Each structure stands twice: as C-alpha cells, then as structure tokens.
C-alpha cells in the first residue's frame, strides 16, 4: 500500500513538473516579439574637401512573416567614435533618408511612420559627417565608427525598442607579408599573430582571412580565428536593452558565480532565448543536484555549448563590451569551408591568459595537439591587440 502511494505521489509530481515545463515553454514562445530584422550593406568612407569624412551606407528592414504587418514609427542614429587620442575637437552630424519603395524621398530627413507588410522590406540611407578643428588630422586620429540604430517596432505584440550596432572601420592595417612577418618561437612550432581592423557584421569572414593572412599561408599551416571575432562577423550580438528578462532568468542567474556571463538576468535570458526555458530549468536542477554530490559542470553540458560561449557585458573588446555576444554559429561548417577556400587547416578557438585552450571546431586533418602547444601562451592576447587570427606553422 505504501509503495503504491509513493508511486502515485511520484507520478503526480512528474505530471505537475511536466505541466510547469509546458507552461514555461508556452509563455516563452508566446512572449511579445517582432518579426522585423535589420541588416546593413557595406558603408563607404569618403574624404571631404574640408578634410572631414563622410560615412554613408544603407540598411534594410525586412519582414519575413507571411501576414503580420509591423509599423516602424521611429528611427534614429547614435554614433560613437573610437580613436587613438582625445576626440574633444571632433564633431558629428547624422542624417537618415527613408528609401521606402512606395514613397518619395523626403528632403527634410523626417522619418515618417511606415508599415512593413508581410514578406516585404524597406530601406534607409544613413550618413555621418565627421569634422575636426583646424589642424586636426582625422585620418591619423580616428579608428572606428560604432553606429547604433535605435528603432521602434509597433504591432500586435505592442511597442518594442530595437537597438542594432553597426561597426564601420575608418582605418585598416596593412596585411601580413612574408618579408615582414614577425614569427614567434613556440614548442616545436612557429606562431604568427595576425593583426586586422576591428571586425563587425560588414566583414566577410573569408575575405578577412584571405586579405590579412593569405600572402603568408603555406601548406601544412593551421590558421585559427577566435570564437568571438567570428561571432560578431556573423552578427551574433545584441544590446541588453533589447532583452526582456523573465522571472525564471531573474531567479536562476542568482546562483552563478558573479564573474559568470550567466550571473545577470539578461545573460541568463539570452541562453533561455537560444535553447528554451524547459531545457535551462532541467539543466539547472540536474546540475545543482549533481554538484551536491561532487560532480561539477553538468549544467553547461546539459544546457548546450552556447551556455559556455555567451559573453556578457564587459566580456569583449570595445565597442562590443556594451553588448551580449553569443558563440559562433555552425563553426564546424565554417572551418571546412575556409579550409577548402584557403588550402590550409582552419580552426575556431577560445583561448585565455590562464593557459586554457579550447578548440571549438577544426577542419579535417587539423593537428589539435599542435594547437594546444602553440596557443597555450595566448599569443593573440586578451586586451586590445586586435590580432583575432593566429597562424601556426609546425617547426
């Protein structure tokens, strides 16, 4: 009798827990969300007659939904300059020109509220004029323009603010050449950190690898790229302002170490948005139970690879230090594609100053033991070295 009673209680508890998971998933999937997506085409940087710079390019706002119509009543720009010195003498002027397919351009730059219908899109031209005080060399002073687009989505889901950041390099280093490459000696290998400009969504990963490292590549080399630089080129970052933490995220984040990227409500909610609340809650319960008996790390194993790869605010180099950066998408396919295109092995890695080397993905035939030896001293650095590529050559 007692056994049957206990069995019934266990079944009731399991049903209640299953119902809780179902409710969490339904609430998550039915939460307010807009289908609109913003993408940017390459920007041009032109020198003005007075020594200033004009940066201009286009964005596209698309609606992949079949039936939903979404308003875009507001859109504004927030530019930030990154430089190599004091920028007090630099001024900025921005303008937005709507390029709606069924309306004429407004010469006054006013953004009229626009409806993006299902499976339709609209465009806008963004312009930033940069000028400096007399005698100021903008070309030598400026490095990067971080252009944030703040825009409102208005529809059946309510009124939501979106915030997308576009990184536009204003200067680029010269690519590596065989005669000037500064190789470092490693353990039975040579290592070459490869400097690039600050990378962003306007960059094509293959072009970056080919442009900056292509001239020094040889058969047998392994070309590595950091997981965060690859992720930002794939557009896998967002501002915390666009994250709406649930009660579950606010609760679970409190048990993580303060330095963890999952120790904030927005960081935890980012993981929930990726894999769903049911998986995160089950991983948390199982991980906590196993941790009590001395087995650690199970939350990250059960919650999925992205649980380890999310970088919360301050986790990356400026200006991405104000965003949440996810891990790269399909790194295995990326490595195979790049290896075929470049003729050398390619790997995506995560390395820190503590000597930890994690190879997220590598092309076939890549010598991972070689990478462990070569990358353990962290030749790329964790500061602002801007060497996201590291070339490893067996000695």
């Amino acid at each position: 009798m007692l056994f049957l009673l206990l069995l019934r209680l266990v079944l009731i508890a399991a049903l209640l827990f299953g119902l809780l998971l179902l409710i969490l998933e339904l609430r998550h999937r039915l939460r307010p969300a807009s289908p609109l997506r913003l993408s940017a085409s390459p920007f041009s940087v032109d020198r003005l007659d007075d020594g200033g710079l004009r940066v201009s390019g286009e964005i596209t706002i698309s609606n992949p939904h079949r039936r939903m119509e979404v308003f875009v009543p507001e859109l504004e720009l927030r530019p930030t300059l990154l430089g190599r010195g004091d920028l007090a003498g630099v001024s900025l002027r921005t303008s937005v020109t709507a390029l709606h397919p069924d309306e004429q351009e407004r010469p006054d730059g006013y953004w009229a509220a626009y409806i993006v219908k299902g499976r339709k899109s609209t465009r806008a031209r963004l312009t930033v004029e940069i000028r400096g005080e007399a005698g100021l060399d903008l070309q030598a002073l400026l490095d990067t323009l971080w252009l944030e687009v703040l825009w409102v989505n208005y529809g059946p889901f309510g009124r939501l603010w979106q915030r997308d950041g576009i990184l536009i390099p204003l200067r680029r280093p010269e690519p590596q050449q065989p005669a000037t490459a500064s190789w470092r000696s490693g353990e039975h290998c040579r290592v070459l950190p490869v400097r690039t400009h600050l990378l962003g969504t306007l960059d094509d990963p293959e072009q970056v690898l080919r442009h900056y490292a292509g001239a020094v590549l040889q058969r047998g080399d392994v070309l590595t790229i950091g997981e965060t630089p690859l992720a930002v080129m794939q557009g896998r970052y967002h501002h915390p302002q666009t994250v709406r933490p649930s009660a579950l995220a606010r609760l679970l984040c409190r048990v993580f170490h303060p330095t963890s990227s999952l120790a904030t409500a927005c960081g935890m909610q980012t993981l929930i948005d990726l894999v769903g609340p049911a998986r995160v809650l089950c991983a948390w319960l199982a991980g906590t139970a196993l941790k009590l008996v001395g087995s650690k790390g199970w939350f990250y194993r059960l919650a999925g690879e992205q649980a380890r790869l999310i970088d919360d605010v301050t986790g990356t180099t400026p200006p991405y230090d104000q965003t949440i950066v996810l891990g790269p998408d399909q790194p295995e396919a990326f490595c195979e594609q790049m290896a075929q295109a470049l003729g050398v092995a390619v790997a995506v890695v995560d390395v820190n100053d503590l000597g930890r080397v994690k190879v997220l993905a590598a092309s076939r035939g890549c010598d991972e033991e070689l990478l462990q030896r070569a990358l353990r001293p962290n030749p790329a650095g964790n500061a602002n070295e801007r060497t996201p590529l590291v070339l490893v050559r067996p000695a």
Side-chain angles (χ1 to χ4, degrees):
M1 259 329 258
L2 181 59
F3 174 76
L4 291 177
L5 180 60
L6 290 174
L7 181 61
R8 287 176 183 174
L9 290 176
V10 170
L11 290 175
I12 292 172
L15 287 173
L16 290 175
F17 184 66
L19 182 61
L20 172 63
L21 295 181
L22 178 61
I23 292 173
L24 286 174
E25 283 291 332
L26 286 175
R27 289 190 62 181
H28 175 71
R29 296 179 184 276
L30 295 175
R31 72 195 190 284
S34 170
L36 295 191
R37 296 294 179 265
L38 186 147
S39 60
S41 59
F43 277 61
S44 63
V45 181
D46 303 306
R47 195 171 185 89
L48 302 175
D49 293 338
D50 59 2
L53 299 175
R54 177 184 288 117
V55 181
S56 60
E58 291 187 4
I59 58 171
T60 299
I61 297 174
S62 55
N63 182 1
H65 199 279
R66 247 187 329 186
R67 296 181 303 274
M68 187 185 299
E69 297 185 355
V70 183
F71 297 74
V72 183
E74 299 177 44
L75 188 149
E76 60 182 89
L77 302 182
R78 182 177 295 176
T80 302
L81 284 172
L82 302 181
R84 298 171 178 267
D86 186 2
L87 302 180
V90 181
S91 61
L92 296 171
R93 178 178 175 272
T94 65
S95 64
V96 178
T97 304
L99 303 175
H100 302 315
D102 48 359
E103 295 181 6
Q104 293 184 343
E105 292 185 25
R106 292 182 60 105
D108 58 3
Y110 178 78
W111 179 271
Y114 185 77
I115 303 175
V116 185
K117 298 181 179 180
R119 293 187 173 175
K120 299 292 183 181
S121 63
T122 188
R123 297 179 297 117
R125 182 169 57 250
L126 313 182
T127 304
V128 180
E129 293 187 356
I130 309 171
R131 289 183 168 82
E133 296 176 345
L136 200 61
D137 186 355
L138 292 180
Q139 293 274 355
L141 178 63
L142 300 181
D143 184 86
T144 303
L145 172 64
W146 175 243
L147 187 59
E148 289 189 291
V149 183
L150 283 72
W151 53 302
V152 173
N153 291 197
Y154 183 77
F157 43 79
R159 187 177 187 274
L160 302 177
W161 270 101
Q162 305 285 11
R163 187 168 176 172
D164 289 89
I166 306 168
L167 189 139
I168 306 157
L170 302 179
R171 60 188 297 167
R172 300 171 185 264
E174 292 297 321
Q176 286 283 357
Q177 299 298 328
T180 58
S182 300
W183 290 89
R184 303 178 186 177
S185 297
E187 187 179 345
H188 305 296
C189 64
R190 292 196 296 162
V191 179
L192 177 64
V194 179
R195 185 174 174 81
T196 71
H197 63 274
L198 196 57
L199 302 173
T201 55
L202 300 181
D203 293 300
D204 176 76
E206 180 180 341
Q207 291 181 2
V208 168
L209 269 59
R210 191 182 296 277
H211 175 73
Y212 286 108
V216 293
L217 294 179
Q218 293 183 8
R219 185 172 297 276
D221 290 346
V222 181
L223 182 60
T224 72
I225 181 171
E227 51 99 4
T228 297
L230 177 58
V232 299
M233 284 192 284
Q234 294 175 336
R236 292 176 63 79
Y237 59 89
H238 53 258
H239 196 278
Q241 185 180 7
T242 64
V243 180
R244 297 158 189 86
S246 61
L248 180 66
R250 297 178 189 276
L251 174 65
L252 298 187
C253 73
R254 297 178 183 276
V255 303
F256 286 83
H257 192 277
T259 60
S260 169
S261 291
L262 301 180
T264 66
C266 289
M268 178 60 72
Q269 186 61 46
T270 296
L271 178 61
I272 291 173
D273 290 341
L274 287 172
V275 303
R279 182 174 180 180
V280 172
L281 178 58
C282 289
W284 183 85
L285 291 172
T288 301
L290 290 168
K291 190 174 182 179
L292 292 175
V293 296
S295 184
K296 299 181 179 180
W298 278 99
F299 172 83
Y300 294 96
R301 298 187 185 97
L302 297 173
E305 186 69 16
Q306 288 293 331
R308 293 184 182 273
L309 299 179
I310 292 173
D311 281 325
D312 203 352
V313 168
T314 75
T316 50
T317 187
Y320 300 110
D321 61 326
Q322 297 184 1
T323 69
I324 300 173
V325 182
L326 313 181
D329 182 41
Q330 298 182 332
E332 297 85 0
F334 168 82
C335 290
E336 293 296 341
Q337 182 182 352
M338 293 301 101
Q340 292 180 11
L342 301 175
V344 298
V346 176
V348 178
V349 298
D350 180 18
V351 186
N352 63 25
D353 286 333
L354 300 178
R356 184 181 67 88
V357 179
K358 181 173 177 58
V359 180
L360 272 66
S363 58
R364 283 171 290 185
C366 181
D367 187 347
E368 294 196 18
E369 289 187 6
L370 170 66
L371 293 184
Q372 291 287 337
R373 297 197 310 269
L375 301 180
R376 196 169 291 118
N378 194 13
N382 270 16
N384 200 27
E385 291 88 348
R386 296 193 187 175
T387 51
L389 311 180
V390 175
L391 184 60
V392 180
R393 179 169 295 172

